[in-house]
Amino acid sequence: MFKGFKNFILRGNVIELSIAVVIGAAFTALVGAFTQNIVQPLIAAAGGVDAEGFGFRIWAGNPATFVDIGAVLTAAVTFLITAAVVYFVFVLPMNRANAHTKARLSAEEPEEIPVPVDTALLTEMRDLLRQLAQQEGRGQGGRN
């Protein structure tokens, strides 16, 4: 029972997944800090000096009705930065490594090309004719 668990844990996929989760969490914190402390103030500055940020109030005297467009833009920037880093740091290199491995494996072991049906039938007929000719040759060889 423990041997199976040990094999499961030590398998490469589980270790890689664990590393990805830890790196993803750290990267999310980094991108969140960047967008909150750099991008969001830049977007809020577009709202004006006296405004709460880039947005508007539905009811003039009620701060709870403020629609914060800046927060949505910040979330979109966070998503784009995260997606770009995940693609360029993880997905693209992994695709290249997989393509390289696949190319290397295909160069080592050439794929068996299937024989067309007509060629297979002609080969079988040739072999049968050769076999019949050999049998006839044996039968006549003893009569001479």
Side-chain angles (χ1 to χ4, degrees):
M1 180 168 81
F2 287 111
K3 184 178 178 184
F5 180 72
K6 177 183 164 191
N7 290 339
F8 170 74
I9 292 298
L10 294 179
R11 200 173 348 160
N13 295 345
V14 175
I15 302 296
E16 290 171 5
L17 182 61
S18 301
I19 292 169
V21 167
V22 170
I23 289 174
F27 182 71
T28 300
L30 176 69
V31 171
F34 173 77
T35 55
Q36 183 178 2
N37 297 313
I38 295 175
V39 175
Q40 196 169 7
L42 291 173
I43 294 173
V49 178
D50 296 332
E52 299 172 22
F54 187 62
F56 59 91
R57 286 183 195 245
I58 297 173
W59 299 106
N62 190 352
T65 63
F66 182 72
V67 177
D68 194 359
I69 297 172
V72 175
L73 290 175
T74 302
V77 169
T78 302
F79 172 77
L80 290 175
I81 291 171
T82 304
V85 169
V86 166
Y87 179 75
F88 289 111
V89 173
F90 296 107
V91 175
L92 193 61
M94 190 60 123
N95 286 345
R96 286 184 181 168
N98 287 342
H100 178 70
T101 303
K102 191 175 188 180
R104 192 183 78 221
L105 290 176
S106 67
E108 290 175 1
E109 296 179 17
E111 287 188 25
E112 204 173 292
I113 300 171
V115 179
V117 176
D118 57 345
T119 305
L121 289 173
L122 288 172
T123 304
E124 190 176 331
M125 288 172 22
R126 179 201 65 202
D127 293 343
L128 286 172
L129 287 173
R130 200 179 277 162
Q131 187 179 15
L132 285 173
Q134 287 175 354
Q135 288 175 357
E136 286 180 10
R138 278 189 239 152
Q140 291 176 357
R143 293 183 189 169
N144 285 344

